[in-house]
Amino acid sequence: MTIAFQDYLRKIMTKTIAIVSRKGGVGKSTICSNLAVLAVNATVLDCDDQATLADWGDRRSQLYPQVISIAAKRAASYLQTTKTEWNFIDTPGTLDGGVIEVMKASDFVLVVLRYGQFELDSVSTTLSAIQVTGKPAAIVLNHIHPNTKASELIHDLEAAELGIPIAPIAIRLRTDFQNAAVQGMGVAELSKSSKASQEIMQLWQWLQQAINP
């Protein structure tokens, strides 16, 4: 098998997931880092000016996921150089040309939504941009209060007919996510038996099936 053919196989087998939201503070970086930890053989492209995941990566002791800080407008070309099975792109809380190019270069777009009227008002622009790219996508609810019935919120979003699937797993606001981030870890590395770990692992399982039906 030639090196060129190996590179070809790698490119067609590698999957790239863009984590997006037009609003900041919805927990994109938390979702991105924890999914990448579960994927193991992964590269994270941190396109946010705040460099949250780049700092998180500096605190890690493990080799994977690799974390690269890069501008969104350069992310698409950088993807051609990655050698991991999974790429995760943490985008800034905006919807400029760079983010749209990231979505076009991805295999799947995961929209992180914090349930609230302002967030619902702003998500339509993001969904319109995704439709233009033609990429498969889904919405995941994040930062849900632990006592809230997530199934009811998911049902409400499905009834709103937003045009893309709603992940059946919502991620609740739990201190384990912050505790893990401080240590440069994912919640599954902190404790696989925690509720936070169970939720993010269920989301990862669902996401893999959505990408590879």
Side-chain angles (χ1 to χ4, degrees):
M1 185 181 298
T2 66
I3 294 177
F5 187 65
Q6 289 176 342
D7 288 342
Y8 168 76
L9 288 178
R10 175 184 56 79
K11 288 179 180 179
I12 63 174
M13 294 177 66
T14 297
K15 298 298 182 183
T16 297
I17 303 172
I19 314 294
V20 306
S21 174
R22 190 183 171 198
K23 292 186 71 66
V26 299
K28 293 189 306 297
S29 298
T30 297
I31 295 290
C32 186
S33 59
N34 280 276
L35 289 177
V37 163
L38 292 174
V40 183
N41 187 7
T43 296
V44 173
L45 300 188
D46 184 358
C47 299
D48 198 327
D49 291 340
Q50 298 181 25
T52 300
L53 289 189
D55 292 340
W56 172 80
D58 289 343
R59 293 192 293 273
R60 287 186 63 76
S61 57
Q62 293 85 352
L63 178 61
Y64 292 105
Q66 301 173 358
V67 183
I68 307 296
S69 182
I70 190 171
K73 63 182 180 181
R74 297 187 177 92
S77 60
Y78 189 85
L79 288 173
Q80 303 301 315
T81 69
T82 63
K83 299 184 182 300
T84 48
E85 295 178 7
W86 294 91
N87 298 317
F88 295 86
I89 308 178
D90 186 27
T91 62
T94 183
L95 196 60
D96 58 16
V99 174
I100 293 175
E101 288 303 312
V102 163
M103 292 193 291
K104 288 180 179 179
S106 301
D107 297 292
F108 196 90
V109 180
L110 185 64
V111 181
V112 181
L113 180 66
R114 185 173 183 173
Y115 197 91
Q117 190 58 54
F118 291 154
E119 287 76 10
L120 291 172
D121 289 342
S122 69
V123 77
S124 60
T125 305
T126 302
L127 300 184
S128 296
I130 293 172
Q131 290 178 349
V132 171
T133 68
K135 296 295 183 174
I139 292 173
V140 60
L141 283 173
N142 192 36
H143 284 179
I144 304 302
H145 191 280
N147 295 330
T148 298
K149 290 186 177 180
S151 59
E152 294 181 358
L153 300 184
I154 292 172
H155 179 268
D156 289 345
L157 284 179
E158 291 174 336
E161 298 182 349
L162 296 174
I164 66 173
I166 313 299
I169 302 96
I171 306 301
R172 289 171 169 80
L173 190 62
R174 301 190 188 279
T175 56
D176 278 352
F177 285 109
Q178 178 60 28
N179 292 339
V182 168
Q183 300 177 57
M185 301 171 67
V187 288
E189 295 172 312
L190 194 65
S191 171
K192 288 187 177 181
S193 63
S194 70
K195 292 181 178 179
S197 294
Q198 294 300 312
E199 289 171 359
I200 202 69
M201 287 191 288
Q202 289 173 23
L203 176 62
W204 176 230
Q205 292 172 357
W206 178 87
L207 189 57
Q208 290 177 89
Q209 293 175 355
I211 295 172
N212 299 301

